[in-house]
Amino acid sequence: MAQIKNIGVFTSGGDAPGMNAAIRAVVRTALYYNLEVTGIRRGYEGMIKGEMIPMDRKSVSNIIQRGGTILKTARSDDFRTPEGRQKAYDQLKAHNVDALIGIGGDGTFTGARVFSEEFDIPILGLPGTIDNDLQGTDYTIGYDTAINTVIDAVDKIRDTAESHDRLFIVEVMGRDSGLIALRTGIAAGAEAILIPETKSNTTALFDRLERGRKDKSSKIVIVAEAEEAGGAFEIARQVKEKYPNYDTRISILGHIQRGGRPSCMDRVLASRVGVAAVEGLLAGKRGDLVGVINNEIAFTPFDHAIKHHVDINPNLLKIVEILSL
């Protein structure tokens, strides 16, 4: 492998709080090691179209506290094709980029794995997704901020639910992962959570409502968006049919979970893996996700990181059952 002189950095897929902190860490670490840095705007789509800019220390000043991503993000159908990936590689060569660091989730690393197999360019990935659904890291960049955003919102919803004796069905993000719903359900004192990993259904929810305290005036049910019993609207419809006496309301938190200032934990995590990624490339690493496991930096091959979803901790499920009584 030729000596690395210019590292390209990009964000791809859904945005997550802390991506800017990761960009900052990559840029400043590369400069520390006397490397050039090229920012690639709008992910793989921008890579194909040559939307690349040189970055220096000033480029990443005053961004560590900002949500979103200064490099923008986009999904790319063209990159799914061999012709599109060839165009991306040609643009990288034209801009003298000889290594890549991608910040994103499952789709980002799927594309990176294929790209690195087709072309001789080292690529490392940083786990940037609020879903926390990747192997190779205990937590992903953005997850901590997202769950704290949910908690803040649900605490406010609890206030009005308590005032009006209402049952609120609150839908949170997570795609096919229930980790946001599970942890926020515990922290918000939810009466029930519905997540895809448990194959839960409305029968289980009805049972929880039947066994729950009858003297409690408000009830909160947290639902993951991919829950197979249906989204919040479908679950609320069934609850209203079964319990017409409940004043049932719905709240879809949606993209508010992706925005906002990253938490301290997300800023530190992003900084640690950003530094480790640059140093990993210089040490000859390629085709890996850079994460933190048991508080230590870990390199996990893309193939393992994107094909193995995180299992739900059964102890957390038991905690929900015990504490929701």
Side-chain angles (χ1 to χ4, degrees), residues 143-159 170-173 179-190 193 220 222 253 256-257:
Y143 175 64
D144 184 68
T145 305
I147 59 178
N148 279 289
T149 297
V150 172
I151 287 301
D152 182 63
V154 174
D155 285 349
K156 290 178 171 66
I157 289 170
R158 176 75 80 175
D159 289 343
V170 182
E171 183 178 291
V172 300
M173 282 182 161
L179 289 173
I180 292 177
L182 178 58
R183 287 188 179 270
T184 58
I186 293 173
I193 62 166
I220 300 290
I222 304 289
L253 297 188
I256 189 176
Q257 296 160 85

Side-chain angles (χ1 to χ4, degrees), residues 186 312-322:
I186 293 173
I312 290 291
N313 185 336
N315 290 328
L316 294 180
L317 294 172
K318 186 176 181 180
I319 287 172
V320 173
E321 183 176 359
I322 292 173

